[in-house]
Structures are given as structure tokens and as C-alpha cells.
């Protein structure tokens, strides 16, 4: 049984946080496009960012801020323009964004972190941003998480949000998160953004270590299309407002907090994978028997990212050969005679040998899993940041807990890992073929 419970409130569920999201005119579609998260007090800040050599101005800005001082009060995110590959003017736009917000909040610009999402090569529409920041600050609320979650998305069909609560030192401690991402998802820390808030007190180095490990087990273990973005950012704040004793080293309380942080990140990561552009179902690849966790995750992510595997899942085709091939090219040594593959409850391949199985029943399992793995309709975005009319409607209610399960064992090692992805449908090409035209 988990040591925490799910609660409402997203990033404003932890004590001492406000959030807001508005339409500032950054997106041609007229959808919400400017979001803000603010801690009532200075918070410990940690971040994990894209490893791409082509980076958005906000990524370099945040890295520099966190290296200089691992503290922050606010996270500002614009949607509509990625402000990546925009040269020195893009850098100045990012700096001005922080300065404008700092003045409105009456805090230091060094206490502000930035994120952007949208089309690469497009600068932020600064006139719209300048006009929007006062309105954004004016609408900050201790219940504003949903509006912030709605203002950071682009091609996403739905918002992604979660909050969990546990007890540390006999006091409630909460972690909340929101995220966006649908296409260009293959993080190396896609267009992927995630913001996490926590009201525990944690030392800066430990909070960063926790976040990095949580990222590896969540956002770095998902894939939609194999494309890493210029803007990938995972930012986490911990403000200590729960009034629990400071956690400064690993131990029972630190492990409990990190487990809850990982659970928040995994929920958001799976929601991103399920909302993959054109996707009809979520896939979970479970790998056991590797020599360590890293090797197991590498095999799992290779399978989840295989275009052939993804296409077979979309076609409801239990083609285990594609799974075996993907595992074999993952760059992790194992003996073929130790390989086992299951699809749901169907054992397809055992000890390096193919097995007879009910192909029609296995296909029916894939159809049922897809039918049960549906998206919520409480927030459906029909237009992305470029005013493309993405016809991805009529999807009935939220489920990220019924994925297609692919279980692979590669030996007798203690390493186990998971990765999440989605199927590859015709609609993915439709959505991306004319993205800027």
C-alpha cells in the first residue's frame, strides 16, 4: 500500500503556493498561453533540463540561475513561442520577461525561473507578454493550479495534473505537479515541461539529487516519437511551509519524500505518453533480469520507442518479433536463450523459443486496453499554438492506469526498469506534416 494519498489541487495543493493562467495573446488560437507559479516564501529550487546542443533561452537562463543560487520564488511559462534558436535577442527577451515579472511581484529577478514552449525559431511576442504580466499576477490564487495547467499546453489534448500527500514528523507534506507534452517527446534530461511544488524543507543538494533520480525513472523513461526538444524543463520548488524538520541527508524520511516525488513525476510522465500526438493507447514496458536498473530501463525505452512496435500496437497486432528485435538492439548484453516476452497475460516467447498462443485473443487484449486507456474530456485543446485545427476530439474520460503491458525478462539479474510510450497512428503524421504551414 502506498504511503501517500492522492488529493486535489495540483501545484497549489502544497502550502504556500499560488498559481494562475491567462490568455495574453501569445497564441494565434486565442487559447490560454501564460502561466505563473509563485511561492509565498523563497523556496529551494532544482531543475533538470534538455541535453540538446540547441537550447531555448529559458533553459540557459534557468541553468545559470540555479548554479548561482538554488532558490526561487516564481516560475513563469509562456506557450506559443519556444524562444529557441532565436539568438541574442531571444536571450534579451527572456531576461526582460524575468525583469517585468520581478517588478510586478516586487521580488528580485534572480528569484524567477522561466520556461517556454511553442514553435522553435519564434521569439516571445513581447508586446503581448508585457501587457499580460500585470493581469497574470492579479489573478494569482491558492486554487489556481488548473488555470496554470491549461495555459502551458500546445498540441496537448488535455491538461496533466496530480497532487499527493503523506505524513512526515506527524505533519502533512504535499507534492503537486503539472506538465505539458504531446509530441517531440523523447526526453534526455520533448516538447516537455513539468513543474513540481512541495512544502517540505529539503537541503538544496538533496532536493536536486532526488529530482534527478525521479526524472530518470519518469520523464527520461517515456517516449512518443523519438524527438528530444530544445525546451525540455523539469523544475521543482520546496518551500518548507509544512513546518516539518529539514531533511538534509538520506534516511527514512528522505526516502519517503523521494518516493512520493517519483510517483508524482511518473503520473505526469505517463499522462504525457498517453497524450502522444495521434495516440490511441498508453504502453508500459516492464523489463526484468538485467544486470542493473539502468540497463533494464534502456531496454524498456528502446522497445517503447520502436516505430515498428508502436505501429504493431496501433494495428492491434501481437507481433512479438518486433519486441524481441528492439530488445536486442538496445545496446545491453544478454543471452538470447534467456529472453521471455509477455503481452498482457499472453506468454509469447520463452527461453529464446517462440510459443503457440491465441493470436485473436491477444489482439482482442490490445483492443480492450486501448478502449480502457482513454483521455479526459475536462480540457480538450482543439487548436495548438499555431492555430492548426487538430481533429482529436470525442475522447471520453481519463485513464492512465490501464496501459498495454509488455513484459520482458532478459536473464537472472537484479535490474528492473520501466518505460512508457504510446502507439503510432496515422494521425501523428497528419498533425506534424504541415506544422508551420
Amino acid at each position: 500500500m502506498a504511503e501517500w494519498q492522492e488529493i486535489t489541487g495540483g501545484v497549489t495543493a502544497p502550502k504556500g503556493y499560488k498559481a494562475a493562467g491567462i490568455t495574453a495573446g501569445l497564441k494565434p488560437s486565442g487559447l490560454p498561453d501564460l502561466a505563473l507559479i509563485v511561492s509565498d516564501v523563497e523556496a529551494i529550487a532544482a531543475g533538470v533540463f534538455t541535453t540538446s546542443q540547441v537550447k531555448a533561452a529559458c533553459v540557459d537562463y534557468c541553468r545559470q540561475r540555479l548554479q548561482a543560487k538554488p532558490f526561487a520564488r516564481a516560475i513563469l511559462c509562456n506557450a506559443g513561442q519556444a524562444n529557441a534558436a532565436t539568438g541574442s535577442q531571444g536571450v534579451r527577451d527572456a531576461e526582460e520577461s524575468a525583469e517585468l515579472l520581478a517588478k510586478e511581484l516586487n521580488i528580485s529577478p534572480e528569484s524567477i525561473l522561466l520556461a517556454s514552449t511553442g514553435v522553435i525559431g519564434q521569439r516571445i511576442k513581447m508586446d503581448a507578454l508585457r501587457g499580460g504580466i500585470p493581469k497574470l499576477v492579479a489573478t494569482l490564487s491558492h486554487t489556481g493550479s488548473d488555470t496554470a495547467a491549461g495555459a502551458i499546453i500546445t498540441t496537448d489534448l488535455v491538461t496533466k495534473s496530480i497532487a499527493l500527500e503523506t505524513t512526515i514528523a506527524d505533519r502533512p507534506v504535499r507534492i503537486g505537479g503539472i506538465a505539458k507534452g504531446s509530441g517531440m517527446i523523447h526526453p534526455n534530461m520533448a516538447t516537455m515541461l513539468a513543474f513540481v511544488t512541495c512544502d517540505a524543507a529539503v537541503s538544496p543538494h538533496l532536493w536536486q539529487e532526488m529530482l534527478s533520480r525521479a526524472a530518470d525513472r519518469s520523464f527520461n523513461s517515456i517516449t512518443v516519437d523519438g524527438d528530444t526538444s530544445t525546451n525540455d524543463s523539469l523544475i521543482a520548488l520546496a518551500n518548507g511551509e509544512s513546518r516539518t524538520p529539514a531533511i538534509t541527508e538520506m534516511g527514512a524520511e528522505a526516502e519517503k519524500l523521494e518516493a512520493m516525488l517519483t510517483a508524482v513525476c511518473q503520473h505526469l510522465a505517463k499522462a504525457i505518453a498517453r497524450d502522444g500526438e495521434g495516440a490511441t493507447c498508453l504502453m508500459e514496458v516492464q523489463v526484468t533480469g538485467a544486470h542493473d536498473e539502468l540497463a533494464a530501463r534502456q531496454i524498456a525505452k528502446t522497445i517503447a520507442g520502436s516505430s515498428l512496435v508502436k505501429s504493431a500496437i496501433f494495428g492491434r497486432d501481437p507481433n512479438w518479433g518486433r519486441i524481441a528485435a528492439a530488445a536486442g538492439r538496445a545496446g545491453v548484453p544478454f543471452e538470447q536463450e534467456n529472453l521471455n516476452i509477455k503481452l498482457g497475460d499472453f506468454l509469447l516467447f520463452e527461453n529464446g523459443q517462440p510459443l503457440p498462443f491465441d493470436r485473436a485473443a491477444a489482439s482482442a487484449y490490445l483492443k480492450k486496453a486501448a478502449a480502457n486507456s482513454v483521455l479526459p474530456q475536462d480540457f480538450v485543446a482543439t487548436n495548438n499554438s499555431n492555430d492548426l485545427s487538430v481533429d482529436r476530439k470525442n475522447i471520453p474520460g481519463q485513464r492512465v492506469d490501464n496501459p498495454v503491458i509488455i513484459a520482458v525478462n532478459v536473464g537472472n539479474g537484479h535490474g528492473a526498469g520501466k518505460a512508457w510510450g504510446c502507439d503510432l497512428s496515422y494521425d501523428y503524421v497528419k498533425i506534424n506534416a504541415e506544422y508551420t504551414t
Side-chain angles (χ1 to χ4, degrees):
M1 183 176 177
E3 296 185 75
W4 52 79
Q5 61 180 350
E6 185 171 346
I7 58 175
T8 60
V11 290
T12 52
K15 290 183 179 179
Y17 291 96
K18 300 184 184 77
I22 64 166
T23 298
L26 299 168
K27 291 180 182 176
S29 63
L31 292 171
D33 50 24
L34 192 60
L36 177 62
I37 301 167
V38 177
S39 173
D40 292 344
V41 299
E42 193 165 59
I44 302 299
V48 182
F49 303 95
T50 183
T51 59
S52 173
Q53 295 302 302
V54 180
K55 301 177 290 294
C58 58
V59 169
D60 286 332
Y61 177 92
C62 286
R63 279 185 172 143
Q64 292 166 7
R65 287 283 183 264
L66 292 175
Q67 287 171 3
K69 186 187 73 164
F71 301 92
R73 284 283 308 276
I75 303 169
L76 175 68
C77 178
N78 73 279
Q81 299 86 42
N83 200 26
T86 50
S88 57
Q89 186 57 54
V91 174
R92 288 192 288 272
D93 290 343
E95 292 171 346
E96 183 186 350
S97 300
E99 291 165 0
L100 290 166
L101 180 60
K103 183 177 180 180
E104 198 68 29
L105 290 172
N106 195 28
I107 63 175
S108 168
E110 284 71 31
S111 294
I112 294 169
L113 298 174
L114 303 174
S116 299
T117 182
V119 179
I120 295 170
Q122 290 190 3
R123 289 173 48 204
I124 301 170
K125 294 180 179 179
M126 293 304 294
D127 286 344
L129 187 83
R130 293 183 190 106
I133 283 180
K135 177 183 175 183
L136 183 66
V137 172
T139 56
L140 279 169
S141 165
H142 286 297
T143 58
S145 181
D146 287 347
T147 62
I152 66 175
I153 65 174
T154 51
T155 59
D156 308 49
L157 273 179
V158 296
T159 55
K160 290 100 177 160
S161 177
I162 184 72
L164 301 177
E165 179 182 275
T166 191
T167 301
I168 294 178
D170 296 323
R171 295 186 67 88
V173 170
R174 297 174 174 182
I175 299 179
I178 60 174
K180 67 85 55 182
S182 183
M184 216 177 196
I185 302 293
H186 191 79
N188 286 309
M189 355 182 1
T191 305
M192 189 218 94
L193 301 176
F195 308 125
V196 174
T197 58
C198 175
D199 53 18
V202 192
S203 63
H205 77 278
L206 192 58
W207 188 233
Q208 180 63 62
E209 290 171 2
M210 287 181 177
L211 188 67
S212 295
R213 286 191 291 265
D216 282 340
R217 292 167 177 159
S218 58
F219 299 108
N220 281 341
S221 294
I222 60 172
T223 181
V224 168
D225 48 20
D227 278 301
T228 297
S229 170
T230 55
N231 291 56
D232 293 348
S233 298
L234 165 61
I235 300 172
L237 305 180
N239 67 7
E241 288 294 276
S242 64
R243 304 303 182 191
T244 51
I247 300 173
T248 60
E249 59 185 23
M250 289 306 295
E253 291 182 345
E255 290 173 0
K256 190 175 186 179
L257 187 68
E258 182 174 338
M260 190 164 71
L261 174 64
T262 300
V264 165
C265 290
Q266 286 184 341
H267 176 94
L268 295 173
K270 288 190 283 185
I272 289 172
R274 174 58 191 93
D275 194 17
E277 290 174 340
T280 68
C281 65
L282 175 68
M283 295 161 41
E284 179 174 297
V285 183
Q286 306 169 350
V287 174
T288 56
H291 61 270
D292 60 22
E293 181 185 351
L294 183 63
R297 286 206 312 266
Q298 179 62 30
I299 296 171
K301 194 169 179 179
T302 302
I303 295 170
S306 165
S307 294
L308 290 177
V309 171
K310 289 157 64 69
S311 297
I313 298 301
F314 174 66
R316 318 307 181 219
D317 179 10
N319 188 344
W320 59 263
R322 293 179 173 181
I323 300 170
R329 66 174 173 82
V332 176
F334 64 86
E335 298 299 326
Q336 181 172 313
E337 56 266 28
N338 292 330
L339 181 63
N340 300 320
I341 300 173
K342 287 183 69 177
L343 180 65
D345 293 330
F346 296 90
L347 184 61
L348 312 180
F349 192 81
E350 185 176 33
N351 298 326
Q353 300 291 326
L355 298 177
F357 66 95
D358 188 334
R359 187 170 294 275
S363 180
Y365 161 73
L366 292 173
K367 294 175 183 176
K368 183 178 179 181
N372 288 334
S373 178
V374 293
L375 291 167
Q377 61 179 358
D378 55 350
F379 190 100
V380 176
T382 56
N383 293 68
N384 69 13
S385 61
N386 281 313
D387 252 3
L388 293 177
S389 294
V390 181
D391 186 15
R392 303 164 66 202
K393 306 175 187 177
N394 303 316
I395 302 178
Q398 167 143 356
R399 300 298 291 275
V400 294
D401 56 347
N402 284 287
V404 169
I405 300 292
I406 298 172
V408 175
N409 181 270
V410 295
N412 298 314
H414 298 293
K418 296 179 181 179
W420 296 271
C422 58
D423 57 343
L424 181 61
S425 75
Y426 313 129
D427 284 342
Y428 179 83
V429 176
K430 292 180 182 178
I431 292 165
N432 286 283
E434 298 176 353
Y435 196 81
T436 65
T437 55

